[in-house]
Amino acid sequence: MSAKPRMLVWTFIFGLAFNILGWLGNNLLLGQLWDEAGAAAQAGFAAPWPPLIKEGVSLFSDFIYAFALVWVFANAREKSVAFALKLAFVIWLAGAALVYLVMVNSGFLPLEISVKTSLLALVIFLAMAPLLPAVIKK
């Protein structure tokens, strides 16, 4: 398989792993906090689309993070675990951490669930990043 299709396959695999691990963490570790946040949400606040599309949109962001991680790593000169970890941190900081900060600032989520969910994303990104050198060859 050539480099581009292989990169897309690994993007899909990483995105799927991010989604599964995120779902497990958000439901098993943070479920009560998410229930409390949902109960405290403003009455009448709802996404402007049907539930199926709402779920798709919530899953799509992990594939965007996966694409950024795999694509930048595949096109970088350095292919080390250390670089993969740094890259995962930068993508987390510019993506997940920033998004949750905005959600707190706008009043959509309480600080505690935002921080914990953002840290969960960091753990997932850092756990997956060391796989990059093994699957994306020089």
Side-chain angles (χ1 to χ4, degrees):
M1 187 182 310
S2 68
K4 289 188 188 214
R6 185 174 52 240
M7 191 177 74
L8 291 176
V9 167
W10 284 109
T11 294
F12 178 77
I13 291 169
F14 271 68
L16 193 60
F18 289 169
N19 273 296
I20 291 168
L21 294 171
W23 184 88
L24 288 171
N26 281 322
N27 284 281
L28 300 179
L29 298 175
L30 304 175
Q32 182 178 347
L33 287 174
W34 276 110
D35 290 344
E36 292 168 6
Q42 296 175 355
F45 177 77
W49 39 70
L52 185 60
I53 293 182
K54 179 182 156 195
E55 291 304 316
V57 168
S58 70
L59 297 173
F60 190 66
S61 64
D62 284 333
F63 288 101
I64 294 171
Y65 295 137
F67 177 78
L69 187 63
V70 171
W71 188 85
V72 172
F73 187 85
N75 288 286
R77 284 186 202 182
E78 188 176 347
K79 302 278 192 284
S80 68
V81 171
F83 177 72
L85 290 168
K86 290 176 201 174
L87 179 60
F89 180 77
V90 168
I91 289 171
W92 169 80
L93 190 61
L98 181 60
V99 166
Y100 282 105
L101 178 63
V102 168
M103 291 171 91
V104 169
N105 195 46
S106 64
F108 287 124
L109 280 178
L111 179 62
E112 183 180 12
I113 188 66
S114 295
V115 168
K116 288 181 177 180
T117 301
S118 180
L119 290 175
L120 172 65
L122 177 60
V123 168
I124 292 168
F125 286 14
L126 293 177
M128 294 293 297
L131 299 174
L132 286 169
V135 299
I136 306 294
K137 306 294 181 194
K138 292 182 182 185

